[in-house]
Amino acid sequence: MDTAATSPGARSRWSGLAWGVMFASGTAWLVTGCVATGEDPVQRELADLRTRNQQQSQQLVAQQATIAELHSQLRVARSITEDDLRRVFYPEEIVIDRLTGGANYDGQPGDDGVTVYLRPIDRDGDVVKVAGDIRIQLYDLAAPGGQLLGEYFIPVDECGKYWHGKLLTGHYTIRCPWPAAPPANPEVTVRVTFVDYLTKRVVSAQSVCRVQLPPSP
C-alpha cells in the first residue's frame, strides 16, 4: 500500500501514539532525574549519624587524654620517696597555740565560739607555711556522752586566706562560732587534723581551752 495514500484518520492515530510515547518517556526521565538528584532521607540520616559518631569519638579521645594526665599526676604525687622527704619541708606536727580560746564576736556577754591558732612545725622545730586540709572539732567532754559542739573544715584551696605571718611568727587563725547553743561547761576540747597537700601526711593535735559562758537567765 502507498504510504502517501494513508488516510487522515490513520495519520491522526499515529500522531497521537507518537506524542503519547514521547510524553511517557519524558515523564520517566523527570521521575528518574528527581530520584537521582533529590536528597534521600535515609542517606541524610546516615550522614548525621556518622557526624555524631565522629564528634563523640573526638570527645572520648579528649576525655581519655584528661584522665591519663590526672593519673600521671597522681602517680607523681605517690612516687615521693623518703629520700625526697629529706629534701623538702613539711609539717611533722601541728601545734594548737596557747592563744586558742573562747572569743566574743558580737560584743554581748558570753563567748560566741572559739578562735583556734594553728602552727605547722617541721622536723627542725620551725613554723612552716604549708597548704593542706584543716579539720577542727570542738567538744564538751564534760557533757553526757562527750557532746560535739561543732565541726569546721577548711579545704586546701581556701586555707591560704587564714594564714597570718608577721612579727616573727606564722599561724593559721580560724574562727569557730557555736553552730547552735553554747556549751554547758566552760572547758572546750579542741581537736585538729591537718593533711599536708604535698606529701599527704596527716598530723593531729588536741588541746583544752576555756570559754566565757553567757550569764544565766
Side-chain angles (χ1 to χ4, degrees), residues 93-97 118-119 135-137 189-194 202-208:
E93 63 174 322
I94 190 80
V95 173
I96 302 174
D97 193 84
L118 301 176
R119 294 187 295 123
R135 187 179 301 277
I136 299 174
Q137 296 170 311
T189 298
V190 182
R191 292 180 181 174
V192 175
T193 302
F194 184 89
V202 180
V203 290
S204 59
Q206 179 172 308
S207 182
V208 176

Side-chain angles (χ1 to χ4, degrees), residues 60-75:
L60 181 60
V61 170
Q63 291 173 354
Q64 290 174 342
T66 301
I67 293 173
E69 176 63 20
L70 291 175
H71 285 170
S72 176
Q73 294 176 4
L74 183 59
R75 285 195 297 271

